[in-house]
Each structure stands twice: as structure tokens, then as C-alpha cells.
Amino acid sequence: NMLILFETPAGLALFKVLKEGKLKKEDDYFKHFETPEKASKFVKMHAFKRFKDTKEALKTVTKLLEGKLTKKVKKFLKSNCITDEVQEKIACFDKDLAKTIQNKLGIECEVGNKCRELIRGIRYQMSSLLEGLSEKEMRNMSLGLAHSVSRYKLKFTTDKVDSMIVQAVSLLTDLDKELNNYAMRLKEWYSWHFPELEKIVNDNETFARIVLTLGMKSNISKVSFDGVVPEDVAEDIRKACEISFGTEILEEDETNIKALASQVVEITEYRATLSEYLSNRMKAIAPNLTILIGELVAAKLIAHAGSLINLAKLPASTIQILGAEKALFRAMKTRKNTPKYGLIYNASLVGQAQSKFKGRIARTLSAKASLC
């Protein structure tokens, strides 16, 4: 005889197939579950073990999701599947769970499309087949158990530490893009008033600090650049101010330009703080990988792989071209040379090497990275 193991938020159920002969003849089982009347003629409740509370439900469900059995589940299956006369066969949804039941309890299990279709049918008519449980009660139990399982997974996730690195490096990349946009806009805007400054000062943060200090170029005699730029650069700025051919601006224009400059300075300072935080986290979580290829490249590889565990599972050949997937598939499609490196190209060892050795060094470096 075949029994179907069915998991519900209220407890574990075993359903007995009444018309087992039809299982071998037919492929479409769902037609037997179109109405509650048809379902009750095809399967019948054999046994039901109700959970005492949400704590027991969470423990049982998490074990079943991992393909394991609790003591109470083992006792329930033994008492209802193994008798002196005959041993029942269990239909399971999960292959790992079926293997565990077979190894631990010696009960024959079956998995596959047939079992999945039967379980889907039971789930479709669950409210009518489970006696003593209303649809509203089942819905509330399902919601409570779903929240508990989600909290459990978040609490015990192995990627929790990695997710901090993934978020930090993603934010760092976004900040770099925004900072470049803001700095470019500031230089273009302020160049209408003082175009010579851009040629004297190249650094974005220094440029923004000079704008905040100076404002209008008419203030050049009143301001001091101590702590902003060296004395020789300050002298060049003063000379350029005297012969500048930039247009005059209003006080309102100056206020808005200074507001943008302050944003550039704040983002730059926050970026430095975030970079230090990322460096410390990487040294704590992946010290070998950090020393080998640098904290930023290592963090980008972890972010691209999804987690440190996922990265550790990847072979060296995959790590080597991680980040160059589009180029790889394009090369495969057009039957041209595949890329030799992806994100690992940003590592200092690869970047400093001669062009003819870059591919070889990237391959060696990715092989070492896969061992870290």
C-alpha cells in the first residue's frame, strides 16, 4: 500500500491512496482532485500528528527542509507505516528526505513526478481532506510558521557576515560613480567663473575645498589656503585669479556652487570611512585573499559570487573570468578568443605585469585565490 507524506502548518499527515491501481494506468492524477468529493474517493486520511505549538512546528519543518527527521517524526512514521502484517510505502516530495527515511527507518520511499502530482492535488483540496481544521485557522497557522521559518533562516544564515561585505563594496562602487558625476558637474559649473583652477588642481576633493574656501575669485586677497593646498599651489591660484578671463557670477550662484562642493567633500570623507571599514572587515573574514589580491578586488569577487562560500566552491578557471561573463559568451557565440581575465585584472600583480604575461599571471593568481 502507498502512503503519501504531507506537511501542513498544523502538523504531519499520512494519506492512503484508495485507488492504487489507477496510479499505474494513468498519467493525469489531478483530475481526481478537481472537487472535494472526487478527492475523498481517491485518498483518505490515514494518520495525523498535530504540532503542539509554533516552536515544535518550526523545529520539525526546518529539519524536514534539511532532509532530516526529529524523534517525534520517526516515532510517528514507525507507528503508522510499519506493522506486523505489511510495511507501507511512502511517497515523498523531497529526494533527500526520502533517502533519510529509507536509511534511518528502513521504509521504502518513492519520489518523482507521480508523487509530486499527488501532493499538489492534496494541497489543492487540503481544507476538505484535513478534518477538524478550518481554512481560516490553516491560513493563520501557515502565516505564523512562514514568519518563524524566515526569522530562523535570517538568524542562522551562513552568508550573514558576507552580506555586509557585499553591501559595502556595492555602496563603494555607487559612491565612486556619484562622486565622479558630482565632481565633473562642479568643475564644469565653477569653470564658467574661474576656468584656470581646473588646470592647477586635479584632485576632486581639493578642488571642492578650494571652491568652499574661495567662493568668488574677487575674494582672493581675503582668504588663506593654509591646510587646503601647499603654498606653491596657493601662489599659482592667486596669480591665475589676477589674469582669469572667467565670467562674473551672482551670490545666489555662489551659494549653489558651494552647496555642491560641500556635497563632494562629504561624500569623499564618507567614502574614505567606508573604504577603511571594508578593509578591516576583509582582513577579518578573508585575510589570505585580501593579502593576495587586495581588499577591494577580493570584496568585488565575493560580491559577484554572492558569498564567500560560493566563491570558495568556484574553480580557478571561473574565478579568473569572474566579471567578464558577457565578453565570454559573446566570444563563444562569435567563435573568437575568450577573455583571459575579469575582475581579477584589477589586482596589482596583474595590472603591473607586461601585456604578454597578464593572462598567465591572472591564471596563476586565480588558482591561488581558489585555495585561500
Side-chain angles (χ1 to χ4, degrees):
N1 295 326
M2 179 180 274
L3 296 177
I4 302 166
L5 180 62
F6 185 71
E7 304 149 25
T8 73
L12 287 178
L14 283 169
F15 286 92
K16 191 170 187 177
V17 181
L18 300 175
K19 298 179 181 179
E20 199 171 336
K22 290 189 177 182
L23 293 177
K24 297 174 183 178
K25 297 177 184 178
E26 299 175 3
D27 294 328
D28 186 17
Y29 306 114
F30 196 75
K31 65 183 181 182
H32 298 290
F33 296 95
E34 287 175 350
T35 61
E37 291 78 19
K38 284 185 179 180
S40 60
K41 289 177 184 177
F42 193 72
V43 291
K44 182 186 177 183
M45 174 85 77
H46 178 70
F48 185 73
K49 183 194 175 300
R50 188 161 185 157
F51 298 133
K52 287 182 181 179
D53 49 25
T54 311
K55 191 177 179 181
E56 187 187 345
L58 176 64
K59 185 182 177 182
T60 307
V61 169
T62 49
K63 286 284 185 184
L64 291 174
L65 286 170
E66 294 167 4
K68 297 176 183 177
L69 300 170
T70 61
K71 289 181 180 178
K72 290 183 179 180
V73 174
K74 285 180 185 176
K75 188 178 178 183
F76 170 69
L77 292 175
K78 275 183 181 177
S79 58
N80 291 288
C81 297
I82 302 172
T83 59
D84 297 332
E85 300 167 1
V86 66
Q87 183 173 311
E88 310 283 2
K89 185 167 66 172
I90 296 177
C92 291
F93 191 90
D94 186 52
K95 187 169 65 175
D96 294 331
L97 182 62
K99 193 177 179 181
T100 305
I101 293 170
Q102 209 157 348
N103 293 339
K104 297 281 184 182
L105 305 176
I107 302 170
E108 188 183 349
C109 293
E110 190 175 332
V111 289
N113 290 331
K114 180 174 75 173
C115 302
R116 292 190 185 96
E117 287 297 321
L118 290 170
I119 290 167
R120 284 193 191 102
I122 293 169
R123 187 173 287 114
Y124 183 66
Q125 296 293 348
M126 185 167 58
S127 55
S128 62
L129 292 171
L130 290 172
E131 299 169 3
L133 287 169
S134 65
E135 194 173 343
K136 186 180 178 182
E137 190 179 2
M138 188 64 73
R139 198 183 297 115
N140 291 337
M141 285 179 178
S142 180
L143 185 65
L145 184 59
H147 286 169
S148 300
V149 171
S150 298
R151 278 196 294 270
Y152 175 84
K153 283 186 174 181
L154 285 170
K155 189 177 179 182
F156 292 100
T157 178
T158 53
D159 300 337
K160 193 191 230 176
V161 181
D162 301 347
S163 64
M164 298 298 164
I165 291 171
V166 172
Q167 295 299 329
V169 76
S170 300
L171 179 57
L172 201 64
T173 307
D174 292 341
L175 282 176
D176 285 337
K177 289 177 184 175
E178 290 300 317
L179 195 57
N180 285 334
N181 287 334
Y182 278 27
M184 183 181 69
R185 187 63 56 201
L186 177 65
K187 286 179 179 179
E188 286 180 3
W189 201 352
Y190 195 66
S191 290
W192 284 99
H193 179 60
F194 189 10
E196 294 81 8
L197 181 62
E198 191 178 353
K199 294 177 182 178
I200 299 168
V201 179
N202 295 319
D203 183 62
N204 293 335
E205 186 185 3
T206 309
F207 188 93
R209 290 187 185 279
I210 290 169
V211 172
L212 285 172
T213 307
L214 180 59
M216 290 189 188
K217 58 187 177 182
S218 56
N219 300 328
I220 191 68
S221 58
K222 303 174 188 175
V223 298
S224 172
F225 294 109
D226 294 342
V228 181
V229 289
E231 188 57 40
D232 56 332
V233 178
E235 190 60 36
D236 291 341
I237 293 169
R238 289 192 182 92
K239 287 177 182 177
C241 259
E242 293 172 4
I243 58 168
S244 176
F245 57 86
T247 59
E248 295 299 322
I249 56 172
L250 302 173
E251 286 186 10
E252 190 179 357
D253 299 328
E254 182 190 6
T255 305
N256 284 287
I257 291 170
K258 281 188 173 182
L260 180 58
S262 65
Q263 287 289 316
V264 172
V265 172
E266 284 174 17
I267 293 172
T268 306
E269 288 174 350
Y270 175 63
R271 192 205 173 282
T273 308
L274 185 66
S275 182
E276 188 181 353
Y277 161 78
L278 182 64
S279 177
N280 293 335
R281 294 292 282 182
M282 283 302 299
K283 285 173 184 174
I285 294 160
N288 295 339
L289 194 64
T290 303
I291 292 167
L292 186 67
I293 57 177
E295 65 271 357
L296 193 58
V297 180
K300 284 182 178 178
L301 286 175
I302 291 170
H304 203 81
S307 68
L308 187 61
I309 291 172
N310 291 348
L311 184 65
K313 290 176 182 176
L314 295 176
S317 56
T318 306
I319 293 172
Q320 185 180 342
I321 57 166
L322 208 63
E325 289 83 1
K326 285 185 180 178
L328 173 67
F329 292 124
R330 188 168 58 247
M332 289 170 69
K333 190 176 180 181
T334 55
R335 295 186 180 181
K336 293 187 178 176
N337 293 335
T338 53
K340 294 179 180 177
Y341 28 69
L343 289 168
I344 207 161
Y345 178 80
N346 297 313
S348 58
L349 285 172
V350 181
Q352 291 168 6
Q354 294 178 25
S355 298
K356 59 181 179 180
F357 298 128
K358 283 184 189 291
R360 207 175 295 174
I361 291 172
R363 187 164 61 250
T364 307
L365 204 58
S366 57
K368 295 293 181 185
S370 65
L371 296 173
C372 288

